[in-house]
PDB file of all heavy atoms in Angstrom:
ATOM      1  N   ALA A   1      17.424   7.704 -13.099  1.00  0.00           N
ATOM      2  CA  ALA A   1      16.503   6.991 -12.237  1.00  0.00           C
ATOM      3  C   ALA A   1      15.763   5.874 -12.947  1.00  0.00           C
ATOM      4  O   ALA A   1      15.013   5.120 -12.330  1.00  0.00           O
ATOM      5  CB  ALA A   1      15.469   7.997 -11.679  1.00  0.00           C
ATOM      6  N   GLN A   2      15.931   5.814 -14.291  1.00  0.00           N
ATOM      7  CA  GLN A   2      15.272   4.816 -15.117  1.00  0.00           C
ATOM      8  C   GLN A   2      13.719   4.930 -15.011  1.00  0.00           C
ATOM      9  O   GLN A   2      13.028   3.948 -14.843  1.00  0.00           O
ATOM     10  CB  GLN A   2      15.726   3.403 -14.787  1.00  0.00           C
ATOM     11  CG  GLN A   2      17.198   3.169 -15.080  1.00  0.00           C
ATOM     12  CD  GLN A   2      17.638   1.745 -14.897  1.00  0.00           C
ATOM     13  OE1 GLN A   2      16.981   0.964 -14.211  1.00  0.00           O
ATOM     14  NE2 GLN A   2      18.732   1.361 -15.550  1.00  0.00           N
ATOM     15  N   ARG A   3      13.273   6.172 -15.086  1.00  0.00           N
ATOM     16  CA  ARG A   3      11.846   6.463 -15.051  1.00  0.00           C
ATOM     17  C   ARG A   3      11.497   7.393 -16.213  1.00  0.00           C
ATOM     18  O   ARG A   3      12.324   8.138 -16.688  1.00  0.00           O
ATOM     19  CB  ARG A   3      11.443   7.119 -13.732  1.00  0.00           C
ATOM     20  CG  ARG A   3      11.606   6.220 -12.527  1.00  0.00           C
ATOM     21  CD  ARG A   3      11.221   6.947 -11.246  1.00  0.00           C
ATOM     22  NE  ARG A   3      11.402   6.099 -10.082  1.00  0.00           N
ATOM     23  CZ  ARG A   3      10.429   5.320  -9.578  1.00  0.00           C
ATOM     24  NH1 ARG A   3       9.238   5.339 -10.124  1.00  0.00           N
ATOM     25  NH2 ARG A   3      10.656   4.553  -8.529  1.00  0.00           N
ATOM     26  N   HIS A   4      10.247   7.315 -16.625  1.00  0.00           N
ATOM     27  CA  HIS A   4       9.781   8.249 -17.649  1.00  0.00           C
ATOM     28  C   HIS A   4       9.741   9.654 -17.053  1.00  0.00           C
ATOM     29  O   HIS A   4       9.462   9.858 -15.878  1.00  0.00           O
ATOM     30  CB  HIS A   4       8.406   7.851 -18.154  1.00  0.00           C
ATOM     31  CG  HIS A   4       8.374   6.563 -18.896  1.00  0.00           C
ATOM     32  ND1 HIS A   4       9.043   6.397 -20.086  1.00  0.00           N
ATOM     33  CD2 HIS A   4       7.790   5.358 -18.618  1.00  0.00           C
ATOM     34  CE1 HIS A   4       8.872   5.139 -20.530  1.00  0.00           C
ATOM     35  NE2 HIS A   4       8.103   4.496 -19.654  1.00  0.00           N
ATOM     36  N   ALA A   5      10.043  10.641 -17.865  1.00  0.00           N
ATOM     37  CA  ALA A   5       9.961  12.038 -17.416  1.00  0.00           C
ATOM     38  C   ALA A   5       8.516  12.382 -17.053  1.00  0.00           C
ATOM     39  O   ALA A   5       7.585  11.690 -17.499  1.00  0.00           O
ATOM     40  CB  ALA A   5      10.482  12.958 -18.514  1.00  0.00           C
ATOM     41  N   PRO A   6       8.298  13.429 -16.259  1.00  0.00           N
ATOM     42  CA  PRO A   6       6.922  13.772 -15.891  1.00  0.00           C
ATOM     43  C   PRO A   6       6.038  14.057 -17.083  1.00  0.00           C
ATOM     44  O   PRO A   6       6.493  14.571 -18.108  1.00  0.00           O
ATOM     45  CB  PRO A   6       7.130  15.069 -15.054  1.00  0.00           C
ATOM     46  CG  PRO A   6       8.554  14.979 -14.586  1.00  0.00           C
ATOM     47  CD  PRO A   6       9.297  14.279 -15.655  1.00  0.00           C
ATOM     48  N   ALA A   7       4.778  13.713 -16.956  1.00  0.00           N
ATOM     49  CA  ALA A   7       3.797  13.997 -18.004  1.00  0.00           C
ATOM     50  C   ALA A   7       3.593  15.515 -18.067  1.00  0.00           C
ATOM     51  O   ALA A   7       3.952  16.259 -17.164  1.00  0.00           O
ATOM     52  CB  ALA A   7       2.483  13.288 -17.710  1.00  0.00           C
ATOM     53  N   ALA A   8       2.981  15.939 -19.164  1.00  0.00           N
ATOM     54  CA  ALA A   8       2.827  17.373 -19.436  1.00  0.00           C
ATOM     55  C   ALA A   8       2.141  18.122 -18.297  1.00  0.00           C
ATOM     56  O   ALA A   8       2.542  19.220 -17.919  1.00  0.00           O
ATOM     57  CB  ALA A   8       2.067  17.564 -20.739  1.00  0.00           C
ATOM     58  N   GLN A   9       1.094  17.559 -17.737  1.00  0.00           N
ATOM     59  CA  GLN A   9       0.326  18.238 -16.718  1.00  0.00           C
ATOM     60  C   GLN A   9       0.671  17.754 -15.293  1.00  0.00           C
ATOM     61  O   GLN A   9      -0.031  18.060 -14.332  1.00  0.00           O
ATOM     62  CB  GLN A   9      -1.169  18.028 -16.945  1.00  0.00           C
ATOM     63  CG  GLN A   9      -1.668  18.475 -18.302  1.00  0.00           C
ATOM     64  CD  GLN A   9      -1.417  19.978 -18.525  1.00  0.00           C
ATOM     65  OE1 GLN A   9      -1.563  20.794 -17.626  1.00  0.00           O
ATOM     66  NE2 GLN A   9      -0.984  20.346 -19.738  1.00  0.00           N
ATOM     67  N   GLN A  10       1.731  16.991 -15.158  1.00  0.00           N
ATOM     68  CA  GLN A  10       2.110  16.441 -13.860  1.00  0.00           C
ATOM     69  C   GLN A  10       3.115  17.321 -13.159  1.00  0.00           C
ATOM     70  O   GLN A  10       4.115  17.772 -13.747  1.00  0.00           O
ATOM     71  CB  GLN A  10       2.711  15.033 -14.071  1.00  0.00           C
ATOM     72  CG  GLN A  10       2.907  14.245 -12.821  1.00  0.00           C
ATOM     73  CD  GLN A  10       3.422  12.824 -13.129  1.00  0.00           C
ATOM     74  OE1 GLN A  10       4.132  12.608 -14.101  1.00  0.00           O
ATOM     75  NE2 GLN A  10       3.003  11.851 -12.340  1.00  0.00           N
ATOM     76  N   SER A  11       2.869  17.588 -11.884  1.00  0.00           N
ATOM     77  CA  SER A  11       3.804  18.424 -11.135  1.00  0.00           C
ATOM     78  C   SER A  11       5.024  17.592 -10.730  1.00  0.00           C
ATOM     79  O   SER A  11       5.004  16.365 -10.746  1.00  0.00           O
ATOM     80  CB  SER A  11       3.143  18.964  -9.867  1.00  0.00           C
ATOM     81  OG  SER A  11       2.981  17.934  -8.892  1.00  0.00           O
ATOM     82  N   LEU A  12       6.089  18.294 -10.416  1.00  0.00           N
ATOM     83  CA  LEU A  12       7.323  17.626 -10.005  1.00  0.00           C
ATOM     84  C   LEU A  12       7.109  16.783  -8.763  1.00  0.00           C
ATOM     85  O   LEU A  12       7.580  15.661  -8.667  1.00  0.00           O
ATOM     86  CB  LEU A  12       8.408  18.697  -9.739  1.00  0.00           C
ATOM     87  CG  LEU A  12       9.751  18.158  -9.241  1.00  0.00           C
ATOM     88  CD1 LEU A  12      10.406  17.233 -10.257  1.00  0.00           C
ATOM     89  CD2 LEU A  12      10.706  19.324  -8.914  1.00  0.00           C
ATOM     90  N   PHE A  13       6.338  17.322  -7.815  1.00  0.00           N
ATOM     91  CA  PHE A  13       6.061  16.582  -6.564  1.00  0.00           C
ATOM     92  C   PHE A  13       5.251  15.306  -6.835  1.00  0.00           C
ATOM     93  O   PHE A  13       5.524  14.258  -6.254  1.00  0.00           O
ATOM     94  CB  PHE A  13       5.345  17.470  -5.554  1.00  0.00           C
ATOM     95  CG  PHE A  13       6.238  18.458  -4.872  1.00  0.00           C
ATOM     96  CD1 PHE A  13       6.252  19.778  -5.232  1.00  0.00           C
ATOM     97  CD2 PHE A  13       7.070  18.054  -3.837  1.00  0.00           C
ATOM     98  CE1 PHE A  13       7.092  20.688  -4.625  1.00  0.00           C
ATOM     99  CE2 PHE A  13       7.905  18.978  -3.190  1.00  0.00           C
ATOM    100  CZ  PHE A  13       7.917  20.279  -3.587  1.00  0.00           C
ATOM    101  N   GLU A  14       4.272  15.420  -7.710  1.00  0.00           N
ATOM    102  CA  GLU A  14       3.461  14.231  -8.046  1.00  0.00           C
ATOM    103  C   GLU A  14       4.347  13.176  -8.688  1.00  0.00           C
ATOM    104  O   GLU A  14       4.179  11.971  -8.392  1.00  0.00           O
ATOM    105  CB  GLU A  14       2.326  14.635  -8.978  1.00  0.00           C
ATOM    106  CG  GLU A  14       1.229  15.454  -8.312  1.00  0.00           C
ATOM    107  CD  GLU A  14       0.244  15.989  -9.330  1.00  0.00           C
ATOM    108  OE1 GLU A  14       0.558  16.035 -10.545  1.00  0.00           O
ATOM    109  OE2 GLU A  14      -0.892  16.321  -8.932  1.00  0.00           O
ATOM    110  N   TRP A  15       5.232  13.604  -9.559  1.00  0.00           N
ATOM    111  CA  TRP A  15       6.097  12.649 -10.260  1.00  0.00           C
ATOM    112  C   TRP A  15       7.027  11.954  -9.281  1.00  0.00           C
ATOM    113  O   TRP A  15       7.196  10.717  -9.318  1.00  0.00           O
ATOM    114  CB  TRP A  15       6.888  13.390 -11.317  1.00  0.00           C
ATOM    115  CG  TRP A  15       7.795  12.515 -12.125  1.00  0.00           C
ATOM    116  CD1 TRP A  15       7.444  11.575 -13.029  1.00  0.00           C
ATOM    117  CD2 TRP A  15       9.218  12.526 -12.094  1.00  0.00           C
ATOM    118  NE1 TRP A  15       8.570  10.982 -13.575  1.00  0.00           N
ATOM    119  CE2 TRP A  15       9.676  11.540 -13.019  1.00  0.00           C
ATOM    120  CE3 TRP A  15      10.189  13.265 -11.388  1.00  0.00           C
ATOM    121  CZ2 TRP A  15      11.018  11.286 -13.251  1.00  0.00           C
ATOM    122  CZ3 TRP A  15      11.528  13.010 -11.612  1.00  0.00           C
ATOM    123  CH2 TRP A  15      11.939  12.028 -12.532  1.00  0.00           C
ATOM    124  N   LEU A  16       7.644  12.711  -8.401  1.00  0.00           N
ATOM    125  CA  LEU A  16       8.565  12.112  -7.426  1.00  0.00           C
ATOM    126  C   LEU A  16       7.834  11.223  -6.446  1.00  0.00           C
ATOM    127  O   LEU A  16       8.351  10.190  -6.025  1.00  0.00           O
ATOM    128  CB  LEU A  16       9.339  13.213  -6.687  1.00  0.00           C
ATOM    129  CG  LEU A  16      10.357  14.018  -7.516  1.00  0.00           C
ATOM    130  CD1 LEU A  16      10.824  15.239  -6.727  1.00  0.00           C
ATOM    131  CD2 LEU A  16      11.547  13.145  -7.904  1.00  0.00           C
ATOM    132  N   ALA A  17       6.637  11.630  -6.058  1.00  0.00           N
ATOM    133  CA  ALA A  17       5.860  10.851  -5.081  1.00  0.00           C
ATOM    134  C   ALA A  17       5.467   9.482  -5.619  1.00  0.00           C
ATOM    135  O   ALA A  17       5.166   8.554  -4.837  1.00  0.00           O
ATOM    136  CB  ALA A  17       4.634  11.644  -4.650  1.00  0.00           C
ATOM    137  N   GLN A  18       5.410   9.326  -6.933  1.00  0.00           N
ATOM    138  CA  GLN A  18       5.043   8.053  -7.532  1.00  0.00           C
ATOM    139  C   GLN A  18       5.995   6.939  -7.101  1.00  0.00           C
ATOM    140  O   GLN A  18       5.626   5.768  -7.112  1.00  0.00           O
ATOM    141  CB  GLN A  18       5.029   8.163  -9.058  1.00  0.00           C
ATOM    142  CG  GLN A  18       3.797   8.802  -9.635  1.00  0.00           C
ATOM    143  CD  GLN A  18       3.796   8.742 -11.138  1.00  0.00           C
ATOM    144  OE1 GLN A  18       4.842   8.734 -11.798  1.00  0.00           O
ATOM    145  NE2 GLN A  18       2.597   8.677 -11.723  1.00  0.00           N
ATOM    146  N   ALA A  19       7.232   7.298  -6.755  1.00  0.00           N
ATOM    147  CA  ALA A  19       8.209   6.283  -6.346  1.00  0.00           C
ATOM    148  C   ALA A  19       7.745   5.530  -5.100  1.00  0.00           C
ATOM    149  O   ALA A  19       8.188   4.396  -4.863  1.00  0.00           O
ATOM    150  CB  ALA A  19       9.564   6.925  -6.116  1.00  0.00           C
ATOM    151  N   ALA A  20       6.902   6.185  -4.299  1.00  0.00           N
ATOM    152  CA  ALA A  20       6.449   5.564  -3.043  1.00  0.00           C
ATOM    153  C   ALA A  20       5.035   4.993  -3.129  1.00  0.00           C
ATOM    154  O   ALA A  20       4.457   4.614  -2.101  1.00  0.00           O
ATOM    155  CB  ALA A  20       6.532   6.601  -1.906  1.00  0.00           C
ATOM    156  N   LYS A  21       4.475   4.954  -4.331  1.00  0.00           N
ATOM    157  CA  LYS A  21       3.075   4.546  -4.456  1.00  0.00           C
ATOM    158  C   LYS A  21       2.832   3.099  -4.032  1.00  0.00           C
ATOM    159  O   LYS A  21       1.702   2.725  -3.700  1.00  0.00           O
ATOM    160  CB  LYS A  21       2.578   4.783  -5.888  1.00  0.00           C
ATOM    161  CG  LYS A  21       3.228   3.885  -6.929  1.00  0.00           C
ATOM    162  CD  LYS A  21       2.683   4.169  -8.331  1.00  0.00           C
ATOM    163  CE  LYS A  21       3.309   3.267  -9.362  1.00  0.00           C
ATOM    164  NZ  LYS A  21       2.779   3.545 -10.730  1.00  0.00           N
ATOM    165  N   GLY A  22       3.874   2.253  -4.067  1.00  0.00           N
ATOM    166  CA  GLY A  22       3.697   0.873  -3.703  1.00  0.00           C
ATOM    167  C   GLY A  22       3.786   0.610  -2.194  1.00  0.00           C
ATOM    168  O   GLY A  22       3.582  -0.524  -1.742  1.00  0.00           O
ATOM    169  N   LEU A  23       4.038   1.656  -1.401  1.00  0.00           N
ATOM    170  CA  LEU A  23       4.137   1.494   0.055  1.00  0.00           C
ATOM    171  C   LEU A  23       2.749   1.438   0.677  1.00  0.00           C
ATOM    172  O   LEU A  23       1.783   1.994   0.128  1.00  0.00           O
ATOM    173  CB  LEU A  23       4.927   2.641   0.652  1.00  0.00           C
ATOM    174  CG  LEU A  23       6.381   2.821   0.213  1.00  0.00           C
ATOM    175  CD1 LEU A  23       7.004   4.047   0.883  1.00  0.00           C
ATOM    176  CD2 LEU A  23       7.196   1.572   0.520  1.00  0.00           C
ATOM    177  N   PRO A  24       2.605   0.840   1.844  1.00  0.00           N
ATOM    178  CA  PRO A  24       1.354   0.917   2.563  1.00  0.00           C
ATOM    179  C   PRO A  24       0.996   2.378   2.854  1.00  0.00           C
ATOM    180  O   PRO A  24       1.885   3.222   2.964  1.00  0.00           O
ATOM    181  CB  PRO A  24       1.653   0.153   3.877  1.00  0.00           C
ATOM    182  CG  PRO A  24       2.796  -0.697   3.559  1.00  0.00           C
ATOM    183  CD  PRO A  24       3.618   0.018   2.551  1.00  0.00           C
ATOM    184  N   ARG A  25      -0.292   2.669   2.987  1.00  0.00           N
ATOM    185  CA  ARG A  25      -0.715   4.056   3.087  1.00  0.00           C
ATOM    186  C   ARG A  25      -0.005   4.821   4.244  1.00  0.00           C
ATOM    187  O   ARG A  25       0.418   5.956   4.022  1.00  0.00           O
ATOM    188  CB  ARG A  25      -2.241   4.131   3.287  1.00  0.00           C
ATOM    189  CG  ARG A  25      -2.730   5.559   3.435  1.00  0.00           C
ATOM    190  CD  ARG A  25      -4.259   5.599   3.494  1.00  0.00           C
ATOM    191  NE  ARG A  25      -4.836   5.200   2.228  1.00  0.00           N
ATOM    192  CZ  ARG A  25      -6.162   5.123   2.019  1.00  0.00           C
ATOM    193  NH1 ARG A  25      -7.009   5.436   3.006  1.00  0.00           N
ATOM    194  NH2 ARG A  25      -6.637   4.755   0.838  1.00  0.00           N
ATOM    195  N   PRO A  26       0.140   4.252   5.453  1.00  0.00           N
ATOM    196  CA  PRO A  26       0.804   5.014   6.528  1.00  0.00           C
ATOM    197  C   PRO A  26       2.257   5.354   6.168  1.00  0.00           C
ATOM    198  O   PRO A  26       2.721   6.484   6.439  1.00  0.00           O
ATOM    199  CB  PRO A  26       0.735   4.083   7.724  1.00  0.00           C
ATOM    200  CG  PRO A  26      -0.389   3.175   7.444  1.00  0.00           C
ATOM    201  CD  PRO A  26      -0.379   2.967   5.964  1.00  0.00           C
TER     202      PRO A  26
END
């Protein structure tokens, strides 16, 4: 995926959800 692996305290869902962080809130 060309992404850094999750941080030590980061959940899998939080890490995957970062891919959509640039989308509008809705």
